[in-house]
């Protein structure tokens, strides 16, 4: 894991994010294309409506600015047939009777100064206001072009432009419309005999955008729902597929976690997947084989060397003792013989420790499991070490709750004696042995913790991680006056590991040190008061 996120979750998040980006791109492209197509379709409808309107304009009359539908006039009555032909459109026409295409173009070209161009625009607006007619547009709020828009319309090659404007229909609030504005001649009926004439006019044809906006909003909602559903489905599918793909790797991981120095003969399973996971499992098994051979050679060397060294060391110690007892050595000779005998005994203890470590490494450390009462066990150890503690003016006490657990009492006594011995060597004046139950959610403890607490000088933080390394000694915080090869804590750790527990040390310089041994309860039968001595 990296930063607390598993590979499975990282793959799921990656593929889900990738799909989200793709879906977002597809959604935006779809909305853009749909909007473009709808706008293009509406623009074509506006062109069709403009052509139809200019064809029949000479045969209908529209509402003028001076007339409303509520007044009794011909324009108000004739509004109905025009509205019948164009029920969904807003149309406005402004005749420029004194101009044609050539004259308007000529005058606009001659009006080069801002004053001349403003005068021309004023004339055009005056003509437009006097001849304005409409259908679907409130005459009191007609569609108007700004000066810039009117100049653009006149100067554009096709003399057409499309705008989006707020247009007020009669008896309604203003709505957003797409408006086609055209400056072109239209046919007008001149007299009752049916003759027609052509006049230059500005024609506005508008269509309400609410339908288009509603369609886009509906499409956006549908795309959003599909996006969310697709994202959730893809995320769940990615999680399941990633889990299925990672399953062989998890099996290899669990098997590798179970393998330690005492069971190097085991191998991780090799899934028949034909991919990198199978190659990884094969590489791990090959590495385990090499490690097993190396560890086995190291254990054999340690065991054989220890056995071979024991005989000559015993002989050296025996001869030194014989010379001290049977001869009359001088003072200097006697001192030398005592040193030889002392170092021989120390070397004998070192050899015994190495043999025990070799057995522990090979898994040959034999344990005799039986029920142990933690508090009584610590009290027995305290009584056994009381003379040694009193000799150093150290107060040694045992306290805590009695928790039954399963273990080898001789081996565990060796562990506690080693921890107490280290505290005595450090010069502690008070040593307390504590027993506490651990993890009791259902009323019964799952583990027991045995602690050795002292008020010695403490251990610096940089040494704590290496205390259980073989032959490692803390010269500054623990005295070396009383010997020791730096193997005691390594042996204690091997014994605790064989029990399925763990051992660690907490310390603060100037305050003291606490060594904790936490062991599983094991299969301990229920004890009655008669079973407790």
């Amino acid at each position: 894991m990296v930063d607390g996120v598993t590979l499975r979750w990282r793959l799921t998040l990656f593929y889900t994010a990738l799909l989200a980006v793709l879906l977002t791109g597809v959604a935006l492209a779809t909305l853009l294309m749909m909007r473009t197509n709808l706008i293009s379709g509406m623009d074509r409808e506006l062109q069709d409506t403009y052509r139809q309107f200019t064809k029949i304009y000479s045969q209908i009359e529209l509402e003028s600015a001076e007339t409303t539908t509520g007044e009794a006039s011909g324009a108000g009555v004739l509004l109905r047939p025009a509205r019948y032909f164009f029920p969904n459109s807003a149309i406005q026409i402004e005749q420029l009777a004194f101009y044609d295409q050539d004259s308007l173009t000529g005058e606009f070209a001659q009006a080069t100064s801002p004053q001349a161009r403003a005068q021309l625009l004023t004339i055009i607006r005056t003509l437009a206001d006097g001849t304005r007619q409409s259908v679907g547009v409130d005459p009191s709020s007609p569609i108007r072009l700004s000066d810039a828009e009117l100049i653009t319309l006149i100067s554009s090659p096709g003399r057409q432009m499309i705008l989006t404007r707020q247009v007020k229909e009669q008896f309604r609030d203003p709505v957003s419309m797409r408006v086609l504005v055209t400056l072109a001649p239209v046919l007008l009926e001149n007299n009752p005999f049916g003759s027609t004439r052509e006049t230059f006019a500005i024609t506005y044809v508008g269509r309400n955008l609410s339908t288009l906006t509603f369609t886009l909003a509906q499409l956006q909602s549908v795309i959003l729902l599909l996006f969310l559903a697709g994202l959730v489905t893809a995320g769940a599918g990615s999680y399941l597929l990633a889990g299925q793909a990672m399953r062989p790797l998890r099996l290899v991981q669990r098997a590798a976690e179970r393998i330690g120095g005492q069971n190097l003969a085991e191998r991780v399973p090799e899934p028949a997947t034909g991919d990198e996971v199978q190659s990884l499992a094969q590489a791990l098994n090959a590495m385990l084989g090499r490690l097993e051979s190396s560890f086995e050679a190291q254990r054999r060397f340690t065991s054989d060397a220890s056995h071979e060294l024991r005989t000559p060391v015993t002989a050296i110690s025996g001869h030194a003792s014989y010379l001290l007892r049977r001869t009359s050595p001088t003072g200097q000779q006697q001192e030398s013989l005592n040193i030889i005998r002392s170092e021989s005994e120390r070397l004998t203890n070192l050899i015994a420790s190495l043999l025990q470590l070799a057995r522990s490494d090979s898994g040959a450390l034999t344990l005799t499991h039986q029920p142990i009462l933690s508090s009584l066990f610590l009290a027995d150890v305290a009584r056994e070490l009381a003379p040694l503690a009193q000799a150093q003016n150290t107060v040694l006490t045992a306290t805590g709750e009695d928790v039954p657990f399963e273990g080898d009492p001789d081996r565990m006594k060796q562990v506690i004696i080693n921890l107490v011995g280290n505290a005595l060597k450090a010069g502690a004046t008070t040593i307390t042995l504590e027993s506490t139950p651990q993890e009791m959610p259902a009323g019964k403890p799952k583990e027991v913790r045995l602690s050795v607490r002292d008020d010695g000088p403490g251990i610096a933080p940089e040494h704590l991680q290496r205390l259980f390394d073989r032959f490692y000694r803390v010269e500054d915080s623990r005295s070396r006056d009383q010997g020791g090869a730096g193997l005691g804590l390594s042996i204690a750790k091997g014994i605790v590991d064989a029990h399925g527990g763990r051992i660690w040390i907490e310390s603060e310089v100037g305050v003291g040190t606490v060594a904790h041994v936490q062991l599983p309860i094991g299969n301990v039968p229920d004890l009655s008061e008669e079973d407790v001595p």
Side-chain angles (χ1 to χ4, degrees):
M1 292 192 302
V2 178
D3 295 333
V5 181
T6 62
L7 178 59
R8 181 180 186 181
W9 273 111
R10 292 206 304 274
L11 289 174
T12 301
L13 293 175
F14 172 76
Y15 287 118
T16 304
L18 181 62
L19 181 63
V21 172
L22 293 176
L23 289 179
T24 301
V26 171
L28 293 176
T30 302
L31 287 174
L32 181 61
M33 292 176 59
M34 182 60 69
R35 186 179 185 279
T36 302
N37 290 335
L38 290 175
I39 292 293
S40 299
M42 180 173 287
D43 291 345
R44 288 193 296 270
E45 291 179 2
L46 292 175
Q47 294 284 358
D48 293 340
T49 302
Y50 169 72
R51 286 191 291 268
Q52 293 173 10
F53 172 74
T54 55
K55 285 181 181 180
I56 66 173
Y57 174 63
S58 60
Q59 302 173 13
I60 63 174
E61 291 188 29
L62 305 181
E63 186 179 32
S64 63
E66 291 81 12
T67 310
T68 61
T69 56
E71 296 175 348
S73 65
V77 176
L78 291 175
L79 175 65
R80 293 181 179 178
R83 194 59 175 166
Y84 172 77
F85 287 114
F86 310 103
N88 299 321
S89 300
I91 301 175
Q92 178 178 300
I93 186 169
E94 300 168 347
Q95 301 176 25
L96 305 180
F98 298 106
Y99 290 100
D100 57 20
Q101 185 170 352
D102 294 334
S103 62
L104 182 60
T105 303
E107 289 191 20
F108 183 75
Q110 294 176 2
T112 56
S113 64
Q115 295 81 3
R117 185 160 290 184
Q119 184 177 3
L120 176 61
L121 295 179
T122 301
I123 294 173
I124 293 174
R125 291 188 187 281
T126 302
L127 292 174
D129 291 341
T131 60
R132 182 179 294 118
Q133 292 178 301
S134 63
V135 58
V137 181
D138 191 342
S140 62
S141 300
I143 304 173
R144 295 182 182 275
L145 298 178
S146 66
D147 291 346
E149 292 170 342
L150 188 55
I151 292 173
T152 301
L153 178 64
I154 297 173
S155 60
S156 62
R159 290 189 174 175
Q160 275 193 347
M161 60 188 304
I162 295 180
L163 306 172
T164 300
R165 280 290 169 81
Q166 292 290 322
V167 178
K168 186 177 186 307
E169 298 179 300
Q170 285 185 315
F171 313 115
R172 295 183 183 178
D173 294 330
V175 295
S176 181
M177 286 191 179
R178 192 165 178 83
V179 181
L180 171 66
V181 185
T182 306
L183 178 60
V186 296
L187 294 176
L188 295 177
E189 190 175 49
N190 195 29
N191 53 49
F193 297 102
S195 62
T196 60
R197 63 182 176 85
E198 193 175 68
T199 183
F200 214 48
I202 302 176
T203 306
Y204 304 82
V205 179
R207 182 64 63 87
N208 195 332
L209 288 174
S210 60
T211 302
L212 184 146
T213 304
F214 177 77
T215 302
L216 290 177
Q218 291 292 99
L219 179 62
Q220 185 176 356
S221 299
V222 172
I223 290 177
L224 180 60
L225 289 177
L226 292 177
F227 175 83
L228 294 176
L231 210 59
V232 172
T233 303
S238 300
Y239 184 79
L240 294 176
L241 289 177
Q244 189 69 20
M246 298 295 293
R247 183 179 179 185
L249 194 57
R250 286 197 301 272
L251 294 176
V252 172
Q253 175 194 354
R254 294 186 186 126
E257 289 175 347
R258 291 194 302 268
I259 298 175
Q262 299 180 358
N263 57 345
L264 285 175
E266 294 188 15
R267 295 293 182 267
V268 300
E270 296 183 6
T273 55
D275 55 11
E276 291 82 356
V277 177
Q278 184 176 2
S279 300
L280 176 62
Q282 293 172 349
L284 285 175
N285 285 333
M287 181 189 68
L288 288 173
R290 294 191 297 270
L291 287 176
E292 182 184 11
S293 300
S294 177
F295 271 62
E296 184 61 30
Q298 181 182 0
R299 283 195 290 264
R300 281 199 305 269
F301 171 78
T302 303
S303 179
D304 294 344
S306 300
H307 278 292
E308 292 298 326
L309 288 173
R310 178 176 291 180
T311 300
V313 169
T314 303
I316 292 173
S317 177
H319 282 289
S321 298
Y322 174 80
L323 291 175
L324 286 172
R325 290 194 311 270
R326 299 290 183 174
T327 63
S328 300
T330 64
Q332 186 175 0
Q333 293 173 341
Q334 186 175 6
E335 182 181 359
S336 298
L337 290 173
N338 284 327
I339 292 175
I340 293 173
R341 186 175 63 177
S342 174
E343 293 300 320
S344 299
E345 292 176 354
R346 183 181 175 191
L347 187 56
T348 301
N349 293 331
L350 177 60
I351 293 171
S353 298
L354 289 174
L355 280 173
Q356 185 168 354
L357 285 174
R359 295 191 191 100
S360 177
D361 291 341
S362 63
L365 185 64
T366 57
L367 298 177
T368 303
H369 288 282
Q370 55 183 290
I372 302 174
L373 294 176
S374 60
S375 182
L376 292 177
F377 169 74
L378 294 180
D380 289 341
V381 175
R383 281 194 299 269
E384 183 174 334
L385 297 178
L388 182 61
Q390 292 174 0
Q392 297 187 207
N393 297 321
T394 301
V395 178
L396 177 62
T397 57
T399 184
E401 184 177 345
D402 229 348
V403 181
F405 68 97
E406 188 180 41
D408 187 325
D410 293 333
R411 296 292 185 183
M412 290 309 304
K413 181 179 291 187
Q414 183 179 354
V415 172
I416 302 301
I417 289 176
N418 181 279
L419 297 177
V420 174
N422 287 341
L424 291 173
K425 292 176 185 178
T429 58
T430 302
I431 302 175
T432 304
L433 310 183
E434 300 176 356
S435 168
T436 54
Q438 300 295 312
E439 300 181 11
M440 304 177 59
K444 290 186 177 181
K446 293 184 178 180
E447 294 181 332
V448 61
R449 180 179 297 179
L450 308 178
S451 303
V452 178
R453 187 183 305 273
D454 67 64
D455 61 353
I459 304 173
E462 61 268 19
H463 297 299
L464 291 177
Q465 298 299 325
R466 300 192 58 192
L467 289 177
F468 296 98
D469 294 348
R470 295 173 185 181
F471 300 104
Y472 184 79
R473 295 186 295 265
V474 183
E475 302 291 349
D476 295 336
S477 61
R478 297 279 172 169
S479 174
R480 289 281 290 110
D481 295 340
Q482 302 185 43
L487 294 176
L489 289 178
S490 300
I491 295 174
K493 186 178 186 303
I495 295 174
V496 173
D497 289 344
H499 281 78
R502 59 192 182 98
I503 181 172
W504 72 98
I505 293 177
E506 300 172 355
S507 184
E508 184 176 352
V509 176
V511 177
T513 302
V514 185
H516 298 287
V517 176
Q518 192 152 315
L519 303 169
I521 295 298
N523 298 320
V524 180
D526 294 334
L527 300 178
S528 62
E529 295 182 358
E530 297 178 355
D531 298 322
V532 180

